[in-house]
Amino acid sequence: MIDTAAQQIIDAGRWIDAQGWCPATGGNFSVRLGAERALITASGCHKGHLSADQLLQVDLDGLPQESLLKPSAETLLHTRLYELDSGIGAVLHTHSVASTVLSRLESGDWLTISGYEMQKSLSGNHTHDASIRIAILDNAQDMPALAAELSQCWQTEPLAWGFLVRGHGLYTWGHDMSEARRHLEGLEFLFACELEMRRLGAGV
Ligand SMILES: CSCCC(=O)C(=O)COP(=O)(O)O
Ligand SMILES: [Zn+2]
């Protein structure tokens, strides 16, 4: 199980890097290992060429388990998602240009997208003819505070698919790594379209 999860994270990192969505040391990825644990990337390494010795187990308080590695600085956002929804099996955090710029252009708490066929890549959506809303949290270096912000937002309205952190990037998830990758690819396509529309002065 751990070997499979590790390979899923390594493969996702290679693919995400090839898309240009985890430049420098940006991004972090995790897979749930059970009710109380997750496998997550270590802090500060390039996520495009990970090896198994750059992954460690954490409990849902974000504490390393049987490892001397330093977990991702953003571990608490991953573990909070696993606590908030027991159906989440994998979490991907990326730093694309589109998610970073769009989250800064939008000054409100939500990004609303409508009219795109690609909305159907997000579980539960069956038409372009509806609006999807992606929450935007303000960035912070204080991870317990940002995780608390996420919990508060979730209590008002449970989030689906992902959320943006302003000027920082995207968190997305799925019931397994395959669904998380589909949500990531779909959302990034939608963000790129929306950014291009705004650049052309169309819509909004
Ligand atoms: C230059 S990236 C800054 C940190 C960050 O936002 C990130 O996603 C990577 O942090 P980690 O500790 O997981 O390497
Ligand atoms: Zn980040």
Side-chain angles (χ1 to χ4, degrees):
M1 180 170 158
I2 293 172
D3 287 351
T4 306
Q7 198 55 53
Q8 287 175 343
I9 290 175
I10 291 166
D11 291 347
R14 257 190 221 127
W15 168 67
I16 287 166
D17 184 36
Q19 312 304 314
W21 298 337
C22 62
T25 56
N28 30 73
F29 320 128
S30 69
V31 166
R32 183 196 280 278
L33 291 176
E36 301 293 333
R37 283 195 186 197
L39 188 69
I40 193 162
T41 46
S43 185
C45 51
H46 196 290
K47 312 310 183 310
H49 28 83
L50 290 164
S51 53
D53 60 6
Q54 291 171 313
L55 308 175
L56 69 151
Q57 290 188 47
V58 289
D59 66 17
L60 294 196
D61 292 325
L63 298 173
Q65 303 293 300
E66 301 129 31
S67 175
L68 294 175
L69 292 177
K70 182 173 174 229
S72 166
E74 300 174 16
T75 296
L76 279 183
L77 294 182
H78 291 248
T79 55
R80 185 59 52 88
L81 286 167
Y82 292 126
E83 282 179 333
L84 286 166
D85 183 348
S86 61
I88 293 178
V91 177
L92 298 171
H93 164 56
T94 48
H95 283 217
S96 70
V97 171
S99 64
T100 303
V101 174
L102 204 51
S103 63
R104 294 193 69 186
L105 283 178
E106 190 65 64
S107 55
D109 293 341
W110 297 90
L111 171 69
T112 304
I113 294 176
S114 62
Y116 298 101
E117 182 71 7
M118 188 56 77
Q119 289 166 219
K120 289 159 62 181
S121 68
L122 307 176
S123 291
N125 285 275
H126 306 291
T127 177
H128 67 287
D129 197 17
S131 292
I132 60 152
R133 294 164 78 236
I134 303 293
I136 308 176
L137 305 185
D138 285 327
N139 197 18
Q141 301 304 323
D142 180 342
M143 279 308 133
L146 197 48
E149 192 73 27
L150 171 61
S151 295
Q152 202 180 340
C153 180
W154 199 285
Q155 258 151 29
T156 315
E157 180 176 331
L159 302 179
W161 325 300
F163 64 87
L164 287 161
V165 186
R166 204 179 314 279
H168 182 160
L170 171 68
Y171 273 81
T172 187
W173 56 83
H175 59 73
D176 58 16
M177 180 60 88
S178 168
E179 188 181 57
R181 285 178 61 152
R182 193 184 80 236
H183 286 163
L184 173 59
E185 198 165 23
L187 285 169
E188 286 294 356
F189 179 87
L190 292 167
F191 295 160
C193 288
E194 199 57 24
L195 192 56
E196 189 64 12
M197 291 284 281
R198 291 184 188 204
R199 194 181 281 131
L200 295 170
V204 187

